[in-house]
Amino acid sequence: MNKFPPSMRKCLEALQKLPGIGPKSAQRILFSLLDRGPAAAGELADAFTSLAQGVVRCPSCRAYKESEEPCALCSDPSRDGKLLCVVESAADVLLIESTGEFRGLYHVLHGLLSPLKGLHPEQLGLEVLDGRLEQAAIEEVVLATPPTAEGEATASYLASHLAGKVRQITRIAYGLPVGTDFQYVDAQTLARSLSGRKAFT
């Protein structure tokens, strides 16, 4: 990377800190911006400056919102206030919203329990979650962490932590992807789909 001028090296190093961006991808992005002229880089810089200064975590659901605006999720009167979904990241909120199947509220953990990575229960915003359960009429908490070792450990911890604080605690089901042939499904996924089966209607 020493073959690049200092300002270009700084940009390449910053780009490579993003997920999925390696040295070659960083160089493609950098040269694309340079080829488009100074205005392109300035436009991107302005957008990221606005992002850094104007976007904050909602103090209630912990998803992202404009600093001077109410949270679009929490302030939506059409959402079911009795239902709350716990997810790992704000990106998971967008993914669930894209299905159109969930109209409740959210709590974003911003991570999963992982002592090796230094992520402990106190970093998951559980005091915020407990406060919401005390103040709101939430009846069901849906645990929507991923089916990984860390996701399962987090779900188990949350189920224990929330026991007695809410009427019902549920876990999202995991099963077979649509259009998948049985020959290409691993045994664990098939086992989950069998244990999470429901009535055929």
Side-chain angles (χ1 to χ4, degrees):
M1 195 178 288
N2 289 332
K3 58 189 173 183
F4 296 107
S7 58
M8 293 178 68
R9 287 203 303 271
K10 185 176 180 180
C11 287
L12 288 170
E13 289 169 1
L15 287 168
Q16 289 180 63
K17 292 178 182 178
L18 298 173
I21 304 293
K24 290 185 178 180
S25 295
Q27 288 180 31
R28 281 196 297 273
I29 294 169
L30 177 63
F31 284 116
S32 174
L33 288 170
L34 291 172
D35 290 344
R36 290 166 55 199
E43 182 181 350
L44 189 62
D46 289 343
F48 279 114
T49 299
S50 297
L51 180 72
Q53 296 175 349
V55 175
V56 297
R57 286 184 186 177
C58 170
S60 182
C61 71
R62 292 169 39 100
Y64 293 110
K65 71 177 193 73
E66 291 289 334
S67 59
E68 303 301 323
E69 299 291 333
C71 175
L73 294 168
C74 296
S75 63
D76 184 350
S78 70
R79 304 197 78 87
D80 185 352
K82 297 179 180 179
L83 191 59
L84 186 142
C85 183
V86 178
V87 297
E88 176 187 359
S89 70
D92 295 336
V93 172
L94 295 178
L95 185 59
I96 293 174
E97 285 293 289
S98 71
T99 69
E101 291 293 320
F102 183 79
R103 291 298 299 164
L105 303 173
Y106 291 93
H107 176 80
V108 182
L109 299 171
H110 290 287
L112 299 171
L113 290 178
S114 177
L116 294 176
K117 296 178 181 177
L119 282 168
H120 303 284
E122 57 270 18
Q123 294 165 282
L124 303 182
L126 299 187
E127 71 285 350
V128 175
L129 178 57
D130 291 342
R132 295 178 74 187
L133 293 178
E134 291 173 3
Q135 297 172 10
I138 295 168
E139 296 182 0
E140 179 184 355
V141 173
V142 182
L143 302 177
T145 54
T148 60
E150 292 174 350
E152 294 293 345
T154 303
S156 295
Y157 179 88
L158 290 172
S160 176
H161 177 83
L162 297 172
K165 298 180 181 180
V166 65
R167 183 192 300 181
Q168 187 177 19
I169 301 170
T170 57
R171 181 87 166 103
I172 58 171
Y174 298 102
L176 302 174
V178 175
T180 300
D181 191 302
F182 264 25
Q183 296 177 19
Y184 305 105
V185 176
D186 63 276
Q188 188 175 14
T189 299
L190 186 55
R192 286 184 180 276
S193 66
L194 288 169
S195 63
R197 66 189 183 278
K198 60 182 182 179
F200 185 80
T201 56

